[in-house]
Amino acid sequence: MAEFIVDKDGIKRYLVTITVNGIKYTKMVKANSLLVNFLREDLDLTGTKKACEQGDCGACTVLLDGKPVNSCMVLTISVDGREVTTVEGLASNGKLDILQEKFIEHSAPQCGYCAPGILMSAKALLMRNPNPTELEVREAIAGNLCRCTGYVHYVQAILDAAAANQERKDG
Amino acid sequence: MAKEFSYLNFNRNKEYSYIGKSLKRTDILDKVTGRGKFTADLKFSNMLYGKLIRSTEAHARIIKIDTSEAEKLPGVRAIITAKDVPSIKYGLSPARYDETIFCIDKVRYYGDKIGAICAVDEETLYKALKLIKVEYEVLPAVFTPAEAAKEGAPQIFEEYPGNINTEIHLEFGDVEKAKKEAYYIRTDRLQGQRTVHGFIEPHCSIAYWEGKRVTIHSAHQSAHYLQHHIARIFNMKEGDVRVILPYIGAGFGGKLDVSGLDVAAVALSKITGQPVKMFFDLEEVWYNGRARHGMDMKYTTGVTKEGKILFVESEIILDGGAYTGLGVASSYYAGALLTVLYDFDNYRFDAYRYVTNLPPCGAQRGHGQPHPRYAFESHLDHIAEDLGIDPIDIRLLNARRANTVTPNGYEVKAYYLKEANEMARDVSGWKEKKGKLPKGRGIGVGNGGFVTGAGYCMYRTDLPHSIAMIKVYDDGTHAVVYTNAVDIGQGSDTVLTQMAAQAMGYPYEDITICTRDTDLSTLDFGAYASRQTLMAGWAVKRAGEDVKRKILAQAAEMLKVKEDGGYRFGKLTPEELECEEGIVYVKQEPAVNITFAEVARAYFVKHGVLIGRGYYHPGKLGGTHKGAAVGTSPAYSSATQIAEVEVDMETGLTKVVGTWDVHDSGFVVNPQLLHGQVHGAFSMGIGETIWEKVIFDEKGRVLNGNFAEYRLPTALDMPYVESLVVDTFEPNGPWGVKEVGEGATTPTLGCVANAVYDAIGVRISELPLTPEKIWRALKEAEGAKEKGGK
């Protein structure tokens, strides 16, 4: 368990060190701090969206040690010492992730509120299964609700990204 | 008979530089990197957090509101109730202004707005909310139109006797006469359920004051209407209200009414002198309501032996919920557009919208249409079956044609529903499938369509419906399009930028669009009634052409035709020039050219500024009867959808396996975005047909105000979707455009319901078609068969 201090009202604040998008942050948080709020409020990483706040919609999906989680269902103190990747961490050195490129090509997002979550679910899928079937893609993003798109362009974009990854590897 | 002018196959050989192409969305980089800001992502220095104080009774007189304990809590900054704010009533139409910022004497639904509170952080806010005590005198409540209509039922509003909030009686032609001439008459009654929009971003609003002016950042579908309402409610000048809409996490009609958050944010920030952020959680979105009405629909239709419709008589009862808002328009829309879809002369439409003690209903994608379309398309299938006609054949026979006028006075220009039916039939394999699929598998068809923008503003005004301005940078290397068209995800920013590029003859990638800010940009009524592409499109096209006119006039003074071997000698006129993709050239001699940028710079030197202006007003449109303002439009889209389903005959579980949509949307500016609209419409329509329904308990509390128990379709539920268009040209649209976004939802409920009927052989007359209803219907049918057998 993380170290804590107690303020004069008796409220505990825990010292956590969390690596987010490769950067190590050390902060004091309350026991009820949720990862989604930690990212959005404490780190100003508002790319991670908040909607249902009970793990149903997937808008707040981030990667925790490479696995997709609903960050509204994760206590910040439970992430002490671990690694988080958010949508802001997908691009590196000014270069977009292949998923982002394909999302652009297919005009996958419409309103875009679910897009960061879907990107993170798709990223997790391609990391563990570089060559997924259409059904596997649909399963991977089944926890991310989208009302605008019927998921059609999202599924095409993710399959396309996987194919492009394979080509690069083969090439 | 003279050959009718056809708008069909009009665009086949046209090649434009920037329209008719799936160009990259203008907002896409913001949306895939997470850097795009939605309202909830914004933070202002010293910002407070606010919540509405909501009623915990469905119908009650407010005796006392005790906020004293909450006020003592450190961190609470202000608590306001009706006594602290203007008591002016608001709504859509003045005759039905029935809502106030906060409840004045009584609450009318569980979740009604009693007041608002703001505090330094969310945690304090929730603690304080628990300390507020409201004392009620509970009144008997009504939760259904049937209860509301009962004699002696509790009256929710004094001004709506019998709880009837809107009553419509319209007749066109002579229904009684047609009844005598009909070969066959059939009546069907079906019910559509109350749903929610299902956008993922809950409403949020932030307001702050600077002197006499207030600025509001809000998740809203219309900057102008929000500005108009706030100014009216707070007795301010519109010019003192600035509305900025950040990115919007979709709307579908649910971010168009005044939500209560906006007004509360304005009031609280005035009192505290600090920015106030008001927000809903997801369950509050359900309580805010303003979504699809539950409807009870009865249709009686008479046809000839061949299936030609002679008359339609319809009665629709709407569950309005507690207030009117846009609901009066929903009621008229429920009957207005059937005559556009099918060509018949005699039509009667009666409607009753009841107020009940539930969250108010309003507009949801396809405003007032999807349920009546579902009911009529089901009804039409039964008529076809009774007469032994194929469902598509009866639709082909009755489909309205181009260049006609409906019995209720709407002028229909380009309209190719018949061609859409034929194409959908052919691509879906209808002929091979209809009547030939195994039990448990079925195919169904549905027709629909929508207005392309409402013919009238929501309030009385003679203002243009859309204004656009294009400003070119002083060195001519960039241009900015200004219009307050609202991109809620449908892609209007992209489509309008494409149109600007085309009209100016200037590169798409060198144009940005400045929208959704009443201070910075120009008037547009916003995103509703599928109006942006046509209405803002006209304004942008005209602004672009204005820039081009100025550029060509300037270029005519600069370009010189070579005297040896040029196509002619002498001074050039602007008419001899063209501008495309940033190059101005002599039409007869394209080698003689100059860049747009050079000409623009010269224009600047001479005139100081290069701006193009354009605006659009639809003018006087068809329809003279009471309520004709709802449904009249410059252009009507049409669509045919076909769905194939698989029903598990043991469990009643339905899976949609294939869907086909053929749309008559006029000229398509961006095919990728158009298909995206169709995909989303199918998804919403499938959800509404099979799963979705808002459920209340006996106190009027929402039981499924979340995405676990209110089931939106997931990626695993979505079937194969094929989206196609009929190549048409709408003479009332810029470059021939029409709508797609809302019309695409209107056929879905009917086509999926018809496919389920085809699969199981039993009609379930109430949406949604849940496994339980299907299972029971199958058991009942089996029982009836066994009884009949004995």
Side-chain angles (χ1 to χ4, degrees):
Chain A
M1 203 53 173
E3 282 178 58
F4 61 85
I5 53 165
V6 185
D7 70 13
K8 62 179 181 356
D9 297 324
I11 294 173
K12 286 178 187 167
R13 281 183 176 73
Y14 295 83
L15 185 71
V16 292
T17 299
I18 303 169
T19 304
V20 179
N21 301 331
I23 302 165
K24 213 179 244 191
Y25 296 92
T26 299
K27 299 258 176 189
M28 301 297 299
V29 299
K30 284 190 190 171
N32 64 0
S33 162
L34 296 169
L35 180 56
V36 65
N37 292 336
F38 176 77
L39 294 170
R40 289 174 54 83
E41 306 293 329
D42 297 10
L43 303 187
D44 251 339
L45 294 171
T46 55
T48 301
K49 300 300 173 203
K50 214 163 109 167
C52 76
E53 301 178 73
Q54 48 191 24
D56 296 329
C57 76
C60 65
T61 306
V62 298
L63 302 188
L64 180 54
D65 296 331
K67 295 209 174 85
V69 294
N70 289 316
S71 59
C72 73
M73 303 294 284
V74 176
L75 289 172
T76 309
I77 50 171
S78 72
V79 182
D80 185 27
R82 299 170 73 180
E83 259 185 58
V84 174
T85 310
T86 70
V87 68
E88 289 92 344
L90 274 184
S92 58
N93 303 320
K95 192 166 161 29
L96 295 178
D97 188 272
I98 185 72
L99 279 163
Q100 291 169 310
E101 281 175 25
K102 293 299 174 184
F103 275 35
I104 291 172
E105 202 179 303
H106 287 267
S107 282
Q110 288 181 23
C111 84
Y113 206 75
C114 67
I118 294 189
L119 275 165
M120 300 321 287
S121 291
K123 181 71 184 171
L125 169 72
L126 297 192
M127 287 192 323
R128 68 172 189 269
N129 178 0
N131 196 13
T133 64
E134 184 183 327
L135 183 64
E136 285 167 337
V137 170
R138 287 181 182 276
E139 278 169 350
I141 62 166
N144 297 90
L145 294 176
C146 168
R147 190 60 148 178
C148 299
T149 68
Y151 311 96
V152 178
H153 289 158
Y154 276 127
V155 172
Q156 287 169 357
I158 296 166
L159 285 168
D160 239 25
N165 266 342
Q166 288 301 105
E167 262 168 44
R168 273 178 208 180
K169 224 185 269 170
D170 297 344
Chain B
M1 212 175 108
K3 198 174 178 307
E4 214 171 60
F5 183 70
S6 174
Y7 297 110
L8 205 56
N9 299 326
F10 210 85
N11 309 299
R12 189 163 283 174
N13 299 313
K14 288 207 181 122
E15 180 75 30
Y16 295 104
S17 300
Y18 303 111
I19 56 173
K21 291 192 157 86
S22 298
L23 300 185
K24 196 166 83 179
R25 285 184 76 110
T26 56
D27 54 2
I28 195 76
L29 207 54
D30 278 356
K31 288 180 176 176
V32 301
T33 55
R35 78 176 180 211
K37 294 279 187 193
F38 294 76
T39 309
D41 300 335
L42 301 177
K43 253 187 200 171
F44 293 89
S45 171
N46 217 14
M47 187 172 80
L48 300 169
Y49 297 80
K51 276 271 169 200
L52 295 179
I53 302 163
R54 292 184 166 280
S55 161
T56 53
E57 292 294 339
H59 196 195
R61 225 168 278 292
I62 302 169
I63 305 295
K64 196 178 155 197
I65 305 170
D66 180 4
T67 57
S68 55
E69 286 303 306
E71 275 160 25
K72 283 184 216 152
L73 191 73
V76 170
R77 285 290 179 269
I79 302 176
I80 53 173
T81 58
K83 65 180 184 339
D84 307 303
V85 292
S87 55
I88 187 170
K89 288 182 176 178
Y90 62 84
L92 173 68
S93 73
R96 291 179 191 77
Y97 282 166
D98 55 19
E99 200 166 352
T100 51
I101 299 179
F102 301 128
C103 297
I104 290 175
D105 52 350
K106 67 175 192 171
V107 297
R108 294 181 173 86
Y109 71 98
Y110 191 103
D112 209 347
K113 308 178 292 292
I114 290 177
I117 172 172
C118 62
V120 292
D121 57 37
E122 277 192 57
E123 218 173 311
T124 310
L125 189 60
Y126 291 119
K127 271 185 200 155
L129 271 171
K130 285 184 188 157
L131 298 173
I132 294 169
K133 291 185 185 69
V134 183
E135 204 180 300
Y136 301 96
E137 177 201 332
V138 178
L139 301 169
V142 292
F143 297 118
T144 63
E147 286 172 25
K150 263 190 205 147
E151 229 185 286
Q155 296 297 292
I156 303 174
F157 289 89
E158 275 172 30
E159 57 266 45
Y160 304 140
N163 293 318
I164 296 176
N165 152 276
T166 304
E167 190 172 344
I168 304 168
H169 302 287
L170 292 171
E171 183 168 344
F172 305 95
D174 189 338
V175 170
E176 292 309 317
K177 185 164 164 273
K179 271 186 184 171
K180 292 185 191 116
E181 290 160 10
Y183 166 80
Y184 179 69
I185 297 175
R186 184 185 162 110
T187 300
D188 283 295
R189 187 176 162 193
L190 295 106
Q191 278 97 36
Q193 80 284 34
R194 176 193 280 254
T195 59
V196 291
H197 309 91
F199 43 72
I200 312 297
E201 178 210 26
H203 304 74
C204 185
S205 184
I206 302 168
Y208 47 85
W209 289 75
E210 285 156 305
K212 61 170 187 160
R213 297 193 85 216
V214 67
T215 299
I216 306 159
H217 299 255
S218 181
H220 203 277
Q221 291 176 229
S222 168
H224 177 70
Y225 285 138
L226 182 53
Q227 178 189 39
H228 173 79
H229 284 299
I230 293 295
R232 189 183 158 272
I233 291 167
F234 290 94
N235 193 25
M236 296 168 70
K237 288 181 281 189
E238 276 185 20
D240 286 340
V241 180
R242 179 181 185 183
V243 172
I244 301 171
L245 311 178
Y247 282 125
I248 299 137
F252 309 118
K255 291 173 180 166
L256 196 51
D257 261 322
V258 178
S259 76
L261 295 186
D262 300 306
V263 274
V266 169
L268 284 170
S269 61
K270 177 86 177 172
I271 291 168
T272 58
Q274 287 172 248
V276 176
K277 176 192 244 178
M278 299 286 302
F279 55 101
F280 282 156
D281 60 34
L282 204 59
E283 193 180 55
E284 288 174 305
V285 174
W286 266 248
Y287 280 115
N288 180 59
R290 323 285 160 163
R292 189 117 44 235
H293 290 70
M295 290 192 200
D296 185 338
M297 300 155 288
K298 195 169 98 179
Y299 283 99
T300 300
T301 298
V303 292
T304 65
K305 201 172 179 179
E306 294 73 33
K308 184 88 190 75
I309 299 171
L310 295 179
F311 76 89
V312 177
E313 197 175 35
S314 61
E315 187 182 283
I316 298 183
I317 294 168
L318 299 94
D319 169 9
Y323 297 98
T324 310
L326 292 160
V328 56
S330 322
S331 309
Y332 278 96
Y333 265 126
L337 300 182
L338 179 65
T339 53
V340 176
L341 205 56
Y342 297 118
D343 190 359
F344 58 94
D345 296 331
N346 309 297
Y347 180 46
R348 184 180 289 157
F349 170 53
D350 296 309
Y352 304 86
R353 182 183 191 269
Y354 285 93
V355 281
T356 56
N357 294 114
L358 292 178
C361 294
Q364 184 175 338
R365 197 177 196 167
H367 200 179
Q369 293 296 298
H371 285 336
R373 287 295 75 76
Y374 146 73
F376 192 81
E377 293 299 299
S378 303
H379 174 57
L380 194 58
D381 260 28
H382 286 309
I383 293 170
E385 191 182 16
D386 294 347
L387 295 179
I389 304 172
D390 180 89
I392 290 190
D393 289 340
I394 201 168
R395 286 171 173 82
L396 291 175
L397 184 68
N398 289 292
R400 173 164 297 285
R401 309 310 310 269
N403 301 309
T404 52
V405 179
T406 69
N408 46 348
Y410 303 148
E411 287 169 37
V412 178
K413 297 292 183 196
Y415 202 75
Y416 294 95
L417 177 62
K418 182 170 171 278
E419 287 71 10
N421 267 279
E422 288 166 343
M423 203 195 277
R425 176 193 64 198
D426 298 343
V427 297
S428 65
W430 175 271
K431 283 181 178 165
E432 296 75 50
K433 289 172 182 169
K434 178 64 189 170
K436 293 164 192 150
L437 295 169
K439 197 151 180 70
R441 207 165 168 117
I443 191 163
V445 63
N447 282 338
F450 204 55
V451 298
T452 308
Y456 293 89
C457 178
M458 285 197 193
Y459 62 92
R460 268 174 219 279
T461 181
D462 52 3
L463 287 170
H465 289 211
S466 188
I467 298 173
M469 179 175 89
I470 297 174
K471 187 185 85 178
V472 181
Y473 273 44
D474 50 9
D475 69 349
T477 58
H478 195 82
V480 183
V481 180
Y482 297 84
T483 167
N484 275 326
V486 179
D487 194 330
I488 51 175
Q490 85 280 34
S492 60
D493 282 0
T494 305
V495 163
L496 294 172
T497 305
Q498 287 181 261
M499 287 172 144
Q502 188 61 42
M504 292 167 70
Y506 191 73
Y508 174 75
E509 54 275 17
D510 291 332
I511 304 177
T512 46
I513 186 160
C514 172
T515 57
R516 308 194 298 269
D517 185 327
T518 55
D519 268 16
L520 296 185
S521 199
T522 54
L523 173 80
D524 182 277
F525 294 158
Y528 70 100
S530 278
R531 56 183 296 286
Q532 304 282 213
T533 307
L534 187 145
M535 296 192 173
W538 269 127
V540 166
K541 180 173 193 273
R542 287 166 181 166
E545 286 165 352
D546 191 27
V547 171
K548 186 163 158 179
R549 204 161 28 243
K550 288 168 179 163
I551 285 289
L552 295 187
Q554 177 66 36
E557 290 173 24
M558 299 164 76
L559 278 174
K560 288 186 181 64
V561 182
K562 274 185 203 157
E563 299 208 355
D564 50 340
Y567 84 97
R568 71 161 185 75
F569 298 101
K571 196 178 173 323
L572 285 160
T573 64
E575 291 71 36
E576 290 173 277
L577 306 177
E578 179 55 285
C579 177
E580 284 183 313
E581 301 179 28
I583 307 289
V584 184
Y585 61 90
V586 181
K587 285 185 212 166
Q588 299 282 339
E589 184 103 26
V592 181
N593 60 51
I594 185 169
T595 66
F596 181 107
E598 280 176 85
V599 181
R601 201 184 172 283
Y603 188 95
F604 258 91
V605 170
K606 204 166 156 191
H607 302 280
V609 63
L610 177 48
I611 285 174
R613 310 150 199 247
Y615 70 94
Y616 173 76
H617 193 293
K620 176 101 186 73
L621 295 170
T624 52
H625 58 277
K626 185 169 187 273
V630 176
T632 197
S633 174
Y636 298 89
S637 71
S638 68
T640 299
Q641 290 181 350
I642 289 178
E644 193 176 338
V645 303
E646 208 172 63
V647 182
D648 185 320
M649 299 295 277
E650 274 180 52
T651 62
L653 208 66
T654 300
K655 186 161 177 57
V656 182
V657 292
T659 48
W660 295 265
D661 174 289
V662 181
H663 236 87
D664 164 15
S665 274
F667 175 73
V668 179
V669 179
N670 187 315
Q672 200 174 41
L673 296 188
L674 175 128
H675 296 310
Q677 287 295 300
V678 170
H679 301 155
F682 255 127
S683 163
M684 182 182 280
I686 289 169
E688 288 189 55
T689 317
I690 303 178
W691 302 292
E692 298 178 27
K693 184 186 182 177
V694 182
I695 303 167
F696 298 94
D697 71 2
E698 73 293 341
K699 279 199 78 179
R701 283 180 296 212
V702 178
L703 287 177
N704 58 346
N706 57 68
F707 285 137
E709 290 155 299
Y710 185 97
R711 170 110 151 65
L712 300 191
T714 71
L716 284 169
D717 300 312
M718 274 304 285
Y720 166 80
V721 186
E722 191 162 344
S723 167
L724 298 164
V725 291
V726 185
D727 179 10
T728 68
F729 178 91
E730 169 55 53
N732 284 341
W735 289 287
V737 305
K738 284 200 283 191
E739 81 88 39
V740 65
E742 297 192 71
T745 308
T746 64
T748 315
L749 285 63
C751 91
V752 174
N754 281 337
V756 169
Y757 174 67
D758 189 47
I760 67 173
V762 189
R763 173 69 67 182
I764 293 152
S765 63
E766 188 196 19
L767 293 178
L769 309 178
T770 57
E772 183 185 337
K773 282 189 209 158
I774 290 178
W775 183 84
R776 286 187 191 282
L778 286 171
K779 289 287 156 197
E780 268 172 42
E782 246 171 57
K785 215 193 257 170
E786 274 168 26
K787 254 189 205 164
K790 279 171 198 167

